[in-house]
Amino acid sequence: MGAGRLYTAVAAGGFRRYATYRAATAAGVFTNTAFGIILVYTYLALWDEKPHLGGYDQAQAVTYVWLGQCLYATLAIQGGGAEKDLMERIRTGEIAIDLYRPADLQLWWLSIDLGRSLFQMLGRGVIPFVFGAVFFPMALPTDPAAWAAFLVALLLATLVSFGIRYLVALSVFWLMDGMGVSQVLAITGIFFSGMTLPLNVFPGGLGEVVRVLPWAALIQLPADVLMGETAPLGAYAFQGAWAVALLAAGRLLQTAATRRVVVQGG
């Protein structure tokens, strides 16, 4: 089997695995829809007091909310993607089996996570987004090119998200447990990605800092590309630079871990 077919099969396996959890998916759809409604009315109240906050009008703010709910599980904003299984395999020593496979460790887990992301978007993310479009005024483009540009930004956001979470997972080679770093990942993800508030709203120096961190590539930039608030090529350059940097860092850390660290369990 060629490398392309191998990793495609691994991605398909990741998709099928998450597709089996129908009850969890239905619960996730309900949860994201409920939180979306709560956030929309919170945003509407805030934008009534501060019109055009962050450069958005109310319709754009509503669009941002529902896009965030769509991408929350897709991009594993607070963790819970493939890195969760990787942490556990490192902790138990089962990672040794992965290292003996005739496949690249990073590409193997990236493929699994891409399959997971695709299912989470289709199975859990689309329904809340459509619900929002039906019941609330949203600033959605009518030009197919804008949607195509958004999908490219979403793919790059997926790579950045995996790059962050892969680095976190590899830290378990030294920490021997992923509980603490998972909590840190959850907090940084929800705050720095703009899941709580658009990063454009953050004032002064704090705003300048959060907008150059890799988490800005996850929700803020795809949202701005979709709503025409930023040039797609500039967004791609930012996302691509972070994706390359994070994946390269993951490759270096992976090399250090597998060569110098004794796997827990033997």
Side-chain angles (χ1 to χ4, degrees), residues 38-81:
I38 294 170
L39 282 174
V40 161
Y41 283 110
T42 303
Y43 273 39
L44 289 175
L46 180 59
W47 260 258
D48 277 338
E49 293 296 323
K50 298 284 186 179
H52 299 286
L53 181 63
Y56 290 162
D57 59 28
Q58 283 194 338
Q60 289 175 314
V62 171
T63 304
Y64 186 93
V65 168
W66 289 113
L67 187 61
Q69 295 305 309
C70 175
L71 300 184
Y72 173 77
T74 302
L75 300 178
I77 296 297
Q78 289 189 279

Side-chain angles (χ1 to χ4, degrees), residues 29-41:
V29 169
F30 175 80
T31 300
N32 286 126
T33 304
F35 271 100
I37 294 171
I38 294 170
L39 282 174
V40 161
Y41 283 110

Side-chain angles (χ1 to χ4, degrees), residues 222-245:
D224 283 344
V225 168
L226 180 65
M227 295 186 290
E229 289 295 312
T230 190
L233 291 181
Y236 300 161
F238 179 88
Q239 292 177 298
W242 271 117
V244 170

Side-chain angles (χ1 to χ4, degrees), residues 7 13 43 50-51 88 96-97 104 106 110 115 141 156 172 203 232 242 244 258:
Y7 297 119
Y43 273 39
K50 298 284 186 179
E88 182 62 17
I97 299 173
D104 182 83
Q106 188 180 48
L110 173 59
L156 291 171
V172 180
W242 271 117
V244 170
T258 55

Side-chain angles (χ1 to χ4, degrees), residues 27-257:
V29 169
F30 175 80
T31 300
N32 286 126
T33 304
F35 271 100
I37 294 171
I38 294 170
L39 282 174
V40 161
Y41 283 110
T42 303
Y43 273 39
L44 289 175
L46 180 59
W47 260 258
D48 277 338
E49 293 296 323
K50 298 284 186 179
H52 299 286
L53 181 63
Y56 290 162
D57 59 28
Q58 283 194 338
Q60 289 175 314
V62 171
T63 304
Y64 186 93
V65 168
W66 289 113
L67 187 61
Q69 295 305 309
C70 175
L71 300 184
Y72 173 77
T74 302
L75 300 178
I77 296 297
Q78 289 189 279
E83 85 288 344
K84 183 178 179 181
D85 292 333
L86 178 55
M87 287 178 181
E88 182 62 17
R89 293 183 71 82
I90 295 172
R91 188 189 68 81
T92 62
E94 293 178 282
I95 190 66
I97 299 173
D98 300 338
L99 295 174
Y100 273 109
R101 287 195 183 106
D104 182 83
L105 183 69
Q106 188 180 48
L107 288 177
W108 179 276
W109 286 98
L110 173 59
S111 299
I112 292 175
D113 200 62
L114 288 175
R116 179 206 61 81
S117 295
L118 180 59
F119 173 76
Q120 294 287 25
M121 183 181 70
L122 298 177
R124 179 171 172 174
V126 169
I127 294 176
F129 189 79
V130 172
F131 175 90
V134 170
F135 292 100
F136 296 92
M138 291 173 61
L140 299 177
T142 56
D143 184 1
W147 287 99
F150 165 72
L151 290 177
V152 174
L154 179 56
L155 176 59
L156 291 171
T158 305
L159 295 178
V160 173
S161 173
F162 173 78
I164 294 170
R165 290 179 288 112
Y166 191 68
L167 285 171
V168 171
L170 291 178
S171 69
V172 180
F173 271 107
W174 288 271
L175 299 175
M176 299 301 178
D177 185 83
M179 183 65 70
V181 289
S182 293
Q183 293 298 320
V184 173
L185 178 65
I187 294 170
T188 54
I190 199 71
F191 183 79
F192 291 116
S193 70
M195 189 72 196
T196 305
L197 278 173
L199 300 182
N200 294 342
V201 172
F202 285 52
L206 176 61
E208 294 177 4
V209 170
V210 297
R211 286 190 288 271
V212 298
L213 295 176
W215 290 274
L218 303 187
I219 295 178
Q220 185 68 59
L221 283 180
D224 283 344
V225 168
L226 180 65
M227 295 186 290
E229 289 295 312
T230 190
L233 291 181
Y236 300 161
F238 179 88
Q239 292 177 298
W242 271 117
V244 170
L246 290 167
L247 292 174
R251 177 73 58 176
L252 291 174
L253 191 60
Q254 171 186 310
T255 300

